[in-house]
């Protein structure tokens, strides 16, 4: 079955030696290597990194430091994403939503992808260590290894809790943003780390609900693959309530003021409205497009952007 599915893909699949040469113009190759880094995902990681630097500084941080942290963060996350694609190239070839990734189309060879990912990992760690500080460097390297080894290699294909614990890698940029300014840790970044930890499952599970046939086809046990929509929606609601509650801890602990509190309450309230709406539709056994699971997925990205902008703005209004 797997062989048939792979052969149904375009020429060049996984290097495509048996399907003839792949035309690989320079411009397309450059775009392919950029695509290996998953830029849209990295944008979200930087959105959670830079505002924390403002919070740590209680004002505008050194702009050179911000630039170096962003470059280092992009290279580190890009290396992790490239190595993720190298490891997952077999299932990427069988999933509709990943069928145009560079390794699947043959625009980049597996060997090139592996070398590219390792190079970005080394360069980003050295960049952080030599220009920012070594605490940020080790946190960055830890995030990369956690995503590649713990999530991609160990959890993803073995447990429905894959995204819960694997999501820790995506929470670490919050700590990196704080440490890049202070070269230390505090409760503020830990609270925001926990916000992102509880945000990740209800962010990703709606997307998994949408493409669960893809995951089922390749044997990846995302929660929506092995559980009903009712169960998934209930878990989404639970994580959502905890996330909103944790997000409100910054103010009583003295790290933020009225502006952040108002934004966190408003954005969190709308999140909970959407989460409960999804749960109600799931309870009513609504399926297909009427389930509207992607509404929460799209709002989750807006939510985290709004919340962290409030983190950055709040110090100027206190």
């Amino acid at each position: 079955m797997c062989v048939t599915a792979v052969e149904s893909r375009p020429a060049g699949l996984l290097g495509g030696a048996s399907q003839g040469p792949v035309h690989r113009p320079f411009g397309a190759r450059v775009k392919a290597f950029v695509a290996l880094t998953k830029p849209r995902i990295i944008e979200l990681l930087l959105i959670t990194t830079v505002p924390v630097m403002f919070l740590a500084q209680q004002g505008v941080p050194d702009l050179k430091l911000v630039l170096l942290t962003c470059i280092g963060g992009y290279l580190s996350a890009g290396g992790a994403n490239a190595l993720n694609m190298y490891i997952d190239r077999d299932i990427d070839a069988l999933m509709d939503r990943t069928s145009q990734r560079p390794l699947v189309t043959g625009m980049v060879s597996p060997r090139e992808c592996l070398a590219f990912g390792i190079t970005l990992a080394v360069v980003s760690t050295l960049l952080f260590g030599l220009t920012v500080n070594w605490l940020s460097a080790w946190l960055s390297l830890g995030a990369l290894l956690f995503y590649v080894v713990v999530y991609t290699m160990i959890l993803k294909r073995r447990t429905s809790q894959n995204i819960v614990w694997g999501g820790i890698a995506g929470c670490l940029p919050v700590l990196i943003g704080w440490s890049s300014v202070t070269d230390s840790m505090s409760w503020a970044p830990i609270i925001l780390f926990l916000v992102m930890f509880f945000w990740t499952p209800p962010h990703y599970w709606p997307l998994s609900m949408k493409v669960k046939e893809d995951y089922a086809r390749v044997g990846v046990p995302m929660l929506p693959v092995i559980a009903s929509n009712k169960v998934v929606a209930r878990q989404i609601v639970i994580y959502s309530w905890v996330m909103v509650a944790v997000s409100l801890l910054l103010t009583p602990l003295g790290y933020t003021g009225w502006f952040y509190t108002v934004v966190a309450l408003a954005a969190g309230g709308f999140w909970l409205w959407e989460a409960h709406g999804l749960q109600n539709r799931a309870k009513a056994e609504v399926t297909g497009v009427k389930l509207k699971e992607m509404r929460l997925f799209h709002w989750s990205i807006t939510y985290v952007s709004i919340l962290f902008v409030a983190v950055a703005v709040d110090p100027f209004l206190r």
Side-chain angles (χ1 to χ4, degrees), residues 37-47 74 77 81 84-85 97 101 147 170 203-204:
T37 66
K38 301 183 184 178
R40 294 184 65 182
I41 293 177
I42 295 179
E43 287 175 12
L44 190 60
L45 297 178
L46 295 181
I47 285 173
Y74 188 100
N81 289 329
N84 167 267
M85 286 196 196
R97 75 183 190 91
R101 284 182 173 175
Y147 183 68
H203 158 69
Y204 199 80

Side-chain angles (χ1 to χ4, degrees), residues 29-298:
R29 290 264 288 163
V30 171
K31 290 181 180 179
F33 276 99
V34 173
L36 287 176
T37 66
K38 301 183 184 178
R40 294 184 65 182
I41 293 177
I42 295 179
E43 287 175 12
L44 190 60
L45 297 178
L46 295 181
I47 285 173
T48 65
T49 303
V50 176
V52 177
M53 299 179 72
F54 280 76
L55 181 64
Q57 187 67 45
Q58 284 295 299
V60 180
D62 180 80
L63 296 182
K64 180 181 178 181
L65 181 63
V66 173
L67 179 61
L68 289 170
T69 302
C70 288
I71 294 173
Y74 188 100
L75 295 177
S76 179
N81 289 329
L83 293 172
N84 167 267
M85 286 196 196
Y86 172 80
I87 296 166
D88 278 351
R89 64 193 187 278
D90 57 334
I91 60 175
D92 282 350
L94 302 173
M95 296 175 65
D96 291 336
R97 75 183 190 91
T98 57
S99 62
Q100 294 305 308
R101 284 182 173 175
L103 285 180
V104 179
T105 62
M107 194 58 65
V108 176
S109 72
R111 180 178 298 179
E112 290 171 332
C113 180
L114 179 61
F116 181 65
I118 292 174
T119 300
L120 291 185
V122 173
V123 171
S124 64
T125 303
L126 291 176
L127 178 65
F128 265 120
L130 297 176
T131 66
V132 181
N133 56 59
W134 284 103
L135 175 58
S136 299
W138 300 133
L139 287 169
S140 173
L141 180 60
L144 184 150
L145 292 175
F146 198 95
Y147 183 68
V148 174
V149 178
V150 178
Y151 171 67
T152 307
M153 298 179 67
I154 299 176
L155 297 176
K156 184 173 182 179
R157 308 193 195 196
R158 290 180 171 87
T159 172
S160 62
Q161 294 297 299
N162 46 21
I163 200 65
V164 176
W165 301 107
I168 288 175
C171 306
L172 286 171
V174 173
L175 303 185
I176 294 169
W178 185 275
S179 68
S180 67
V181 173
T182 67
D183 198 14
S184 65
M185 276 294 108
S186 178
W187 281 109
I190 292 173
I191 290 170
L192 290 170
F193 172 96
L194 291 173
V195 170
M196 293 305 297
F197 177 79
F198 290 110
W199 170 87
T200 303
H203 158 69
Y204 199 80
W205 280 333
L207 175 62
S208 299
M209 294 169 77
K210 179 74 173 180
V211 298
K212 63 182 179 182
E213 289 80 7
D214 253 2
Y215 284 118
R217 185 183 307 125
V218 296
V220 174
M222 290 293 179
L223 184 61
V225 173
I226 67 169
S228 68
N229 287 343
K230 292 180 185 179
V231 171
V232 177
R234 182 169 65 247
Q235 290 296 308
I236 286 173
V237 166
I238 293 171
Y239 275 90
S240 297
W241 273 99
V242 176
M243 176 198 71
V244 173
V246 171
S247 74
L248 298 173
L249 292 177
L250 284 175
T251 301
L253 291 178
Y255 292 106
T256 53
W258 68 269
F259 179 75
Y260 171 83
T261 304
V262 170
V263 172
L265 282 169
F270 189 77
W271 176 298
L272 293 174
W273 174 272
E274 286 291 341
H276 279 279
L278 176 59
Q279 184 183 38
N280 291 336
R281 292 189 294 274
K283 284 182 177 179
E285 299 186 352
V286 174
T287 58
V289 294
K290 292 184 179 180
L291 183 60
K292 300 178 182 178
E293 68 273 25
M294 292 300 286
R295 281 178 50 168
L296 182 58
F297 172 78
H298 292 304

